[in-house]
Amino acid sequence: FLELMQAVAKNGSLGEKLAVLVVCEWTYLSWGQLVENKTNRDCSFMTYEWVDLHSGSYFESVVSYLRRLLDEEGERMNEENKLKCQDRFLEAVQLEEDFFNFAYEKEVL
């Protein structure tokens, strides 16, 4: 994921940057909402702070804002740029899915 973010930051359009960022933040919001009420506050500060950072109404508003920016940028794009943006979005989704699958597989082992 780091390689994708660096490539898009260096050479991507605004739409591509937003596509990758939206996937990242929206994924973490979805995850944070899922585990928020299951988080053990007696464990590592970093663990529950990470959950708190990625859940709640403020973070929801951040993700909504980013999604709106992406939608607005998409309205200004030609078809070629929309396809590039879509490719980056789908690549980011696959990387996030791979990350979570790996994390949950390791948890079971």
Side-chain angles (χ1 to χ4, degrees), residues 73-84:
E73 186 63 19
E75 291 174 8
R76 293 187 283 271
M77 287 183 212
N78 62 31
E79 285 305 311
E80 180 182 351
N81 288 335
K82 284 180 182 180
L83 287 174
K84 287 180 183 178

Side-chain angles (χ1 to χ4, degrees), residues 2-12 88:
L2 181 60
E3 289 175 10
L4 173 61
M5 291 190 93
Q6 289 173 333
V8 169
K10 185 175 181 180
N11 298 312
R88 293 300 193 174

Side-chain angles (χ1 to χ4, degrees), residues 39-53:
T39 301
N40 180 356
R41 299 292 167 174
D42 296 329
C43 69
S44 166
F45 167 79
M46 288 180 62
T47 301
Y48 67 79
E49 184 64 19
W50 189 253
V51 172
D52 289 348
L53 176 66

Side-chain angles (χ1 to χ4, degrees), residues 62-74:
V62 170
V63 173
S64 293
Y65 172 72
L66 291 170
R67 290 177 58 196
R68 188 172 58 253
L69 288 177
L70 179 58
D71 289 344
E72 291 169 0
E73 186 63 19

Side-chain angles (χ1 to χ4, degrees), residues 28-43:
Y28 281 111
L29 172 63
S30 299
W31 170 81
Q33 291 170 327
L34 184 67
V35 301
E36 182 177 21
N37 293 327
K38 301 174 187 176
T39 301
N40 180 356
R41 299 292 167 174
D42 296 329
C43 69

